[in-house]
Amino acid sequence: MRIIGAGFGRTATYSLKLALEQLGFGPCDHMFEIAERPERIYRWLDVVEGRSRDWDSLFEGYAAGVDWPTAAYWRELADHFPEAKVILTVRDPEQWFESTQKTVFKRDPLTRPLTWLAERRSPDLRAFLKVDRLSVVDGVFGGSVHDREHMISVFNEHIARVQAEIAPERLLTYEVAQGWEPLCEFLDVPVPDTPFPRKNRREEFGKESQKHVQKLIDSR
């Protein structure tokens, strides 16, 4: 592991994944990446249920990891991979909260029976959702993912904690809107002559997420 992403989901982590891979720091793990490789779901499930902390095996073949569940274990990963650099993606806390409510934590009662049916059909999807619930919904946010004050407090405290615990020379606090320059300077690589990738915006999330969920449903 060369790069550990400590930023919460919905801080442009998918764009960062694509940027890192373009810069040569790939493959880069991400929640969508896990959905593409069902065998990794169960490795992560072993971690979140406390059966394993075999980080070397979990990230074998990966040069980087961003988004959840990686960000939920940033401290353990930073300790285990002491040479890895840490990127903390950030954004305006209010905008971040609003984005989570429209995407990853969207309330939509019409989807509940469909999700239940899909889980019964797909053990892989059931395991994937369990990883998400245990590591993120319960593990990071204590189950209170719709409480604005609580969510923003956790978000801000997380940023402060990472900044306090990771040595400044090892850490980049980064808004993806800043583009290539600060990222490339931190990683000591040339700036590409192509546009910075902008993917998984709020309006794109539903379609992208459904694509990965459908693959999990069809995998068994």
Side-chain angles (χ1 to χ4, degrees), residues 25-178:
F25 296 91
C28 177
D29 200 26
H30 180 280
M31 189 67 89
F32 285 163
E33 175 81 8
I34 297 168
E36 290 285 327
R37 302 175 184 276
E39 71 280 1
R40 299 199 69 245
I41 297 171
Y42 297 95
R43 292 187 180 184
W44 268 112
L45 191 59
D46 284 341
V47 170
V48 301
E49 291 189 325
R51 290 185 295 274
S52 172
R53 284 293 187 272
D54 187 353
W55 302 117
D56 293 313
S57 175
L58 180 62
F59 286 100
E60 184 178 4
Y62 285 84
V66 300
D67 196 65
W68 288 313
T70 291
Y73 295 91
W74 65 271
R75 184 182 288 109
E76 293 93 327
L77 290 169
D79 287 344
H80 188 77
F81 298 106
E83 301 301 317
K85 293 188 174 184
V86 179
I87 299 176
L88 175 63
T89 42
V90 298
R91 66 183 295 189
D92 176 81
E94 293 284 348
Q95 292 180 1
W96 169 78
F97 174 76
E98 292 299 335
S99 179
T100 68
Q101 302 306 294
K102 299 292 186 180
T103 56
V104 290
F105 301 137
K106 184 177 181 179
R107 294 191 192 199
D108 188 355
L110 293 177
T111 66
R112 291 173 187 168
L114 297 176
T115 301
W116 181 81
L117 289 171
E119 286 188 67
R120 285 181 61 86
R121 179 178 170 184
S122 171
D124 292 342
L125 177 60
R126 188 161 60 247
F128 178 79
L129 294 175
K130 190 173 186 180
V131 169
D132 179 62
R133 185 180 73 253
L134 293 178
S135 65
V136 182
V137 176
D138 295 339
V140 174
F141 298 109
S144 300
V145 295
H146 303 297
D147 183 327
R148 177 187 296 270
E149 183 176 351
H150 170 74
M151 288 281 285
I152 290 177
S153 175
V154 171
F155 182 78
N156 287 331
E157 288 172 4
H158 172 74
I159 292 171
R161 193 171 295 117
V162 175
Q163 291 174 332
E165 295 187 25
I166 301 297
E169 64 274 12
R170 189 185 179 192
L171 175 68
L172 174 67
T173 301
Y174 178 58
E175 290 192 47
V176 168
Q178 295 173 294

Side-chain angles (χ1 to χ4, degrees), residues 185-203:
E185 180 180 359
F186 177 66
L187 298 176
D188 194 25
V189 295
V191 175
D193 58 3
T194 56
F196 193 94
R198 307 285 184 184
K199 294 293 184 180
N200 205 29
R201 291 185 172 95
R202 187 182 305 181
E203 61 273 15

